[in-house]
Amino acid sequence: MDNQVCPFCGAGKAYENERIYRMNSCGIVELNIHPEAAFLEKYLEIEIYYCSICKKESVSVHGENGYIENKSVSIYPKAVFRNLPEYVPRPIREDYIEASLILQDSPKASATLSRRCLQGMIRDVWGIRKNRLIDEIKELQEKIPTTQWMAIDMVRKTGNIGAHMEKDVSTIIEITHENAAALLNLIELLIKKWYIDKREEEELYHKIIMISSNHQK
């Protein structure tokens, strides 16, 4: 996989010691095969990659001609998620990563963690604290761009998410995979907007100010 990106550290083309096992119903038939090699009509590939940057291995399987619907499935880690910088508060990072990892297996648990992550960000970034998440979202309206708030509110109104936004964020809710994924995408967007973009903007301003100060000496 020339364009493989490490799901742990986000480094691109950092893999080495690639191992590929191709299997059929009889078991493993060949190791480290050439991707273009003509082989069995129906098979399953197990791909293991070692990242030279973070020193972790990822495992995925890829089916052809009927195996697992001809798709690639990540085995470890179960999901690809953003590698968040440490200045994003640790509880938010942990909730986001866990929500990503369990999305496939339990959308309702993933959505519950995403809701808690959303509330944590609203309180940390905007200093808004209410008894209910829905009230915190309402107060947020005057503090952020209209389209950004509308996106948050639309997710709140989507399916069972909206029906349970007023409940405690630790409450497990029934929800579809599609809605849980939409909520997780919202969390990723807000982390980028509220933390990463803001930090990069401040660093750029600081750099320009320092350059200007040096030229005036």
Side-chain angles (χ1 to χ4, degrees):
M1 292 187 178
D2 293 337
N3 297 321
Q4 181 76 14
V5 175
C6 177
F8 296 101
C9 69
K13 299 183 179 179
Y15 281 92
E16 59 183 28
N17 299 332
E18 173 186 330
R19 302 194 302 278
I20 300 179
Y21 301 85
R22 183 169 287 185
M23 306 172 63
N24 64 3
S25 59
C26 299
I28 298 175
V29 291
E30 190 169 347
L31 170 65
N32 287 340
I33 59 170
H34 189 280
E36 303 298 329
F39 211 76
L40 301 173
E41 293 184 358
K42 189 174 184 179
Y43 61 85
L44 178 72
E45 286 184 356
I46 302 175
E47 302 170 336
I48 304 174
Y49 296 89
Y50 172 77
C51 180
S52 59
I53 304 299
C54 68
K55 312 303 181 184
K56 294 182 179 180
E57 286 187 329
S58 61
V59 183
S60 63
V61 297
H62 176 74
E64 289 288 350
N65 302 323
Y67 270 117
I68 58 172
E69 300 179 353
N70 301 336
K71 295 189 299 185
S72 293
V73 177
S74 179
I75 302 301
Y76 180 77
K78 288 186 177 181
V80 176
F81 47 83
R82 293 179 182 270
N83 185 41
L84 302 178
E86 292 189 0
Y87 56 76
V88 176
R90 186 173 184 176
I92 292 173
R93 283 185 282 132
E94 291 177 347
D95 283 348
Y96 160 71
I97 291 173
E98 187 172 353
S100 301
L101 291 174
I102 64 174
L103 175 62
Q104 297 295 332
D105 295 333
S106 179
K108 62 182 180 181
S110 176
T112 300
L113 286 165
S114 291
R115 285 161 63 239
R116 189 169 74 177
C117 191
L118 176 60
Q119 185 174 61
M121 288 192 292
I122 292 174
R123 291 180 172 184
D124 177 61
V125 176
W126 304 103
I128 300 174
R129 288 182 175 270
K130 301 288 184 180
N131 292 329
R132 303 186 307 171
L133 176 58
I134 189 173
D135 294 327
E136 293 173 333
I137 292 175
K138 289 178 179 179
E139 186 169 329
L140 183 65
Q141 185 173 6
E142 302 301 322
K143 299 179 181 293
I144 62 176
T146 301
T147 52
Q148 190 178 112
W149 184 85
M150 288 176 63
I152 295 173
D153 197 49
M154 284 304 297
V155 172
R156 179 186 66 82
K157 293 176 180 179
T158 300
N160 288 328
I161 296 178
H164 294 274
M165 274 293 192
E166 70 278 10
K167 296 184 180 294
D168 186 272
V169 292
S170 63
T171 302
I172 302 295
I173 62 175
E174 294 294 336
I175 193 171
T176 66
H177 177 276
E178 181 180 4
N179 288 346
L183 185 52
L184 190 56
N185 289 337
L186 174 65
I187 297 302
E188 292 180 345
L189 173 64
L190 295 181
I191 289 175
K192 182 178 185 299
K193 293 290 186 182
W194 293 355
Y195 289 99
I196 299 174
D197 288 354
K198 182 179 179 181
R199 173 63 70 93
E200 292 179 351
E201 183 178 345
E202 290 176 350
E203 289 177 348
L204 176 60
Y205 292 158
H206 180 71
K207 181 179 180 180
I208 293 174
I209 291 171
M210 292 298 295
I211 293 174
S212 178
S213 298
N214 292 334
H215 285 172
Q216 292 177 10
K217 291 180 180 180

